Structures are given as C-alpha cells and as structure tokens.
Amino acid sequence: MMMRWHFLPLGVALLSGCSSAPSEASLEEPGPVAPLGSEVWRPCGRTSYLLRDIQPGAVGSEPRELTKGDRILFFTADDGVSGRELWKSSGTGGSGTRQVRDIFPGAGSADPASLAMVEDTLYFSADDGVSGRELWRSEGTRDSTRRVADLVTGPGSSDPQDLIEFDGRLYFSADDGVNGRRLWTSDGTAAGTRRVAALPDPAFEARSPSLLTRLDDEVFFFRTARRDVVDLWRSDGTDDGTFRLDTGPDSIRPLTPARDLLFYVGNNEGEENLRRTDGTPEGTFPLMSRDLTRIDEVEAVGRRVLFSVERFADGSPTLWRSDGTPEGTVSVAAFASRPLHLTRLGTRVFFTVEDAAHGRELWVSDGTAAGTHLFKDLVPGAAGSTPEELTVVEDNLFFSAVTLAGGREPWVSDGTPDGTRPLREIAPGVASSHPMGFIRSGWDVFFSAEDGSRGRELWALPFRPEDACDSAAR
C-alpha cells in the first residue's frame, strides 16, 4: 500500500459541537486503578554511564534487541572481531558487560534475532554457520547457550520468527522445509519442539503465521490464506483449539491487546478500518462506519484504545478512541499534523503533535476532548523539541528530545510538567547522542547512545526504588 501524507496548515482545533464529538467519559473505566508496583521507582540522579566500549572507535558495536532477562540485560552487538553475537550486561553493578558466546565462530555473525524470555530462559533465532538459522536458547552462560532443534537438517534454515511466551512455553513461526511456515511450540528441548496444528495449505503463505500475540489463554496470529487475503487465527496450543476468526483484508497490522479484547487494523484496497475480536467469530467485526485512508498508532488503556486517523470528513489528522463497540468508536481531537508515538502512562496516553505555535511537542490525552492538550513546551516557540522513543518504565516516561543548545538527548518525566526534565548530556554541546531502546532490567534503565567520540554503545542510568538510590553511587 502506498502511504499518502497530507501536509496541512498548522494549528490545532479540538472537535466540539458536532454529532461526532465524544462524550466526556474518561478513557479508563470507572473504579480504582491498580498501581504498576508497590514501590515508587525513580532515576538515581541524572547521569548515565557507558557500560563498555565494545567496539572501540567511531563505528560502535550498535547494540540491538535489548531484552530484559533474569537480573541481566540480553542484547546483540558487534565487537568488530566476532561479528554480531549475543551479549549480556549486569548494568552499573555486578559482573559487567560481556559476550555470552561466539555462536558463529570467527568474524562471521550469528546475528541473533527475535529475542524472547520464557521464565528464566532466553530464546532466539541464530545462524551458527553450519545448521542455518534455527532456534536457540540461553541462560546467560556459554555452556547454556545452545541450539534447541535443527528443523531443517543441514545448512538450510527454518528461520524462527515472532517468538513469544505462552503458558510457560515458547511459540513461534518456522518453516521446516516440508510444510511451509507454520505455528510451532517448544519446551526448550528438541523432543519438545513440535508443530501446533496442521493448518490447511494456502496458496501463498511465505510470511504466515506472523505477528503472534498473546491474550489470556490463547495465541492470536495472522496467516496469508491466498494472494492478497489475510486471515486472523487463534490457538490454545492444540489442534482442535486452533481456528480462523476473520478473513478478507488485503493486509492486517499488529494486534493490540486491551484486557479481554484485541484491536487490529485491516486494509482493503488502500482503505483501512479498525477491527476488534474477543476470540469468537461473532465477536470479530469492524468498528467504523466507513473505511479511512490510514489508521495507526493504536495504544491500549484499560479495555479501550486511542488511535491516530488520517483523512476523514475534513481531511485532518485526528485522534480517536474506541471501547470495542461501533457506537463507542468516536473522534476525540483534530490536529494540524499526525499524532505520533502514542504511549500509555497510567490512565493517559502521551504522544507528539506539531502546530504553528509550538513545533512538534509532547501532548497528552485521557480520551476526552477536554483532556487532550499540550503537556509541556520543551523548546518554547515554533522550533519544537520533536520528542521520540517514548517508553514507559515503572510510571516514568523516558524519551529523547532536541534542544537548541544540547542536541537530541535523553529526557525523563514522572507524568507531571514540573517533573519532566533532561538527563545529563551524553554528547557534549550541540552534538546529539540519539538515545534509543530504553528498557529496565534489574536496577538500571538501559539504552544505546553515541557520545560524540565513540560510535553507538550500551549505556545505563541507575534506576531504583526511591529509598535504594543511595546504593547507586559510583
């Protein structure tokens, strides 16, 4: 599908006084909101630390696939000698940052991908240079890092993708070279790695099943049934419990769980509609009265979602909300530019919007027109700070933003304008560190960044319950 972008006059107008305006009900349903944790977590100061210069020099090791493990962070990196391999880090304390295993010996890259945790075991796909790209596992030591199963014997690859945990097992898609790409499950042993269901053979299924998503006691996934037609399926891990829920769109975009519902976007000949499912055929249907040019940025809050719409009645980029019913799928606010980076923090959604007065800045919405507004003008005036990489960690919003004096650097917010502040610069002066991939593991928030003299490497900010920050001193 060709994406169509509309550049509109800058300015913001909230929808009001028309039949499509939403009621002023909160986005979250009534009742107490359960806290994310029993303790208040905060950054221990403003200083982030380089954990290791894995590939010295200007190139950098380019850390990727940052994944929270059992008290350690797993990631992939290229040290310039061993190629891209599996690494781990204990952060600002502990045993340090080191390679787990050179899976593809020598300068070749195993290129681990699709990292996923099942209890205390990491699963991923990798190529050892002999058996092709297959399923691997690791508990963080060299000896525990081994291939699970060679689904395509010899140098051929089953290419495991979309790895997720469900009911204490790993689920993924793979192609065994005989049956095409199918749904598989594994308990971490070769004998316990098997196909889940004998799905009917479609004419075209090079990318199916894909986009595996867990909701309660089922796994949902998309499957190409024939050319330009995509089906939505669900599975409880058994043959009898694996069946089709929806069929017909040309393409489908990722599922968004919202308590007991899943929302997704179906595209038909360039027009899109928000759809929902409760896991039953009768509970699977479109939510909007007509298709629109573009729907994306779907973010769940409770049992509802906020999402971005491009081109409806007046051609404006618009913020909508849905409670999973057609009548509860309504517009919230219209903007001069498309809302980007929708990210839930508590019962609100943060995102960025550009207007003539402020440039692109951080906005917030509780799902009502009155509760949708500019959160904070980080760079006063029309230039804008262009926030990116919005990520919630224990009731804190991490992101990157650009200032005229400091370039693009890391920021953090406790959800209040006064509690929104920059962390200490990593790249000095007007240079930018471009922080990416914020994730908490243990008592640190990890991310990758560039300090101006090195390439992209792994950094960490001490991040702990408030009463434990004294132990973060270095």
Side-chain angles (χ1 to χ4, degrees), residues 41-45 443 462-473:
W41 288 67
R42 291 287 182 261
C44 298
W443 278 10
F463 181 81
R464 306 182 178 183
E466 285 183 322
D467 59 1
C469 272
D470 289 345
S471 63

Side-chain angles (χ1 to χ4, degrees), residues 240-391:
D240 291 341
T242 302
F243 57 90
R244 182 170 53 214
L245 286 171
D246 191 13
T247 189
D250 300 342
S251 64
I252 293 177
R253 281 192 273 122
L255 291 160
T256 301
R259 291 191 180 164
D260 59 341
L261 294 178
L262 285 170
F263 293 82
Y264 58 102
V265 178
N267 182 294
N268 284 295
E269 298 181 353
E271 298 294 311
E272 298 188 340
N273 202 310
L274 185 70
R275 305 165 81 92
R276 58 143 275 182
T277 182
D278 62 4
T280 67
E282 60 273 15
T284 304
F285 48 81
L287 291 168
M288 309 180 82
S289 60
R290 57 195 175 87
D291 292 340
L292 305 168
T293 298
R294 179 170 180 167
I295 300 172
D296 56 9
E297 301 279 345
V298 182
E299 181 72 0
V301 181
R303 199 174 184 263
R304 304 183 185 187
V305 292
L306 278 178
F307 58 103
S308 173
V309 169
E310 189 172 347
R311 201 204 79 183
F312 88 114
D314 63 357
S316 297
T318 313
L319 186 69
W320 284 55
R321 79 163 188 256
S322 177
D323 63 2
T325 67
E327 60 273 16
T329 303
V330 294
S331 58
V332 175
F335 302 98
S337 67
R338 189 161 61 95
L340 299 175
H341 311 302
L342 272 67
T343 305
R344 180 186 69 85
L345 175 60
T347 59
R348 299 174 297 167
V349 170
F350 287 76
F351 56 98
T352 70
V353 162
E354 181 177 354
D355 65 25
H358 308 98
R360 184 164 290 277
E361 287 290 357
L362 199 60
W363 286 62
V364 67
S365 179
D366 64 0
T368 69
T372 302
H373 55 83
L374 178 69
F375 175 71
K376 185 169 184 176
D377 194 2
L378 302 182
V379 177
S385 65
T386 319
E388 296 178 354
E389 296 288 325
L390 277 63
T391 306

Side-chain angles (χ1 to χ4, degrees), residues 72-287:
I72 60 172
L73 180 84
F74 288 104
F75 64 103
T76 73
D78 185 347
D79 63 2
V81 177
S82 304
R84 181 161 295 277
E85 297 290 348
L86 182 66
W87 285 67
K88 67 177 182 180
S89 177
S90 60
T92 55
S95 59
T97 301
R98 63 189 64 184
Q99 187 183 96
V100 177
R101 178 175 175 178
D102 188 3
I103 295 171
F104 192 135
S109 294
D111 198 16
S114 299
L115 278 62
M117 293 296 299
V118 178
E119 298 178 346
D120 59 354
T121 300
L122 176 75
Y123 291 86
F124 56 97
S125 71
D127 184 348
D128 64 1
V130 176
S131 304
R133 179 165 293 277
E134 297 291 351
L135 182 66
W136 284 67
R137 59 174 289 173
S138 177
E139 283 82 48
T141 65
R142 186 189 186 286
D143 290 344
S144 69
T145 303
R146 60 185 185 275
R147 189 179 65 240
V148 174
D150 191 8
L151 300 184
V152 178
T153 304
S157 299
S158 66
D159 191 20
Q161 298 176 11
D162 294 296
L163 279 62
I164 64 168
E165 183 274 337
F166 170 59
D167 197 24
R169 294 178 63 93
L170 179 76
Y171 283 73
F172 60 101
S173 73
D175 184 343
D176 64 3
V178 177
N179 299 290
R181 183 162 291 277
R182 300 302 177 98
L183 182 65
W184 288 72
T185 183
S186 178
D187 64 359
T189 68
T193 302
R194 57 177 175 79
R195 277 194 298 142
V196 170
L199 303 177
D201 288 325
F204 302 89
E205 61 166 339
R207 293 180 298 166
S208 61
S210 61
L211 303 175
L212 274 64
T213 304
R214 174 183 173 178
L215 180 71
D216 295 330
D217 296 328
E218 278 89 23
V219 172
F220 293 76
F221 58 93
F222 301 127
R223 186 165 179 266
T224 305
R226 54 190 181 276
R227 187 183 297 274
D228 297 330
V229 175
V230 179
D231 294 342
L232 173 66
W233 287 68
R234 61 170 278 189
S235 176
D236 63 3
T238 68
D239 285 3
D240 291 341
T242 302
F243 57 90
R244 182 170 53 214
L245 286 171
D246 191 13
T247 189
D250 300 342
S251 64
I252 293 177
R253 281 192 273 122
L255 291 160
T256 301
R259 291 191 180 164
D260 59 341
L261 294 178
L262 285 170
F263 293 82
Y264 58 102
V265 178
N267 182 294
N268 284 295
E269 298 181 353
E271 298 294 311
E272 298 188 340
N273 202 310
L274 185 70
R275 305 165 81 92
R276 58 143 275 182
T277 182
D278 62 4
T280 67
E282 60 273 15
T284 304
F285 48 81
L287 291 168

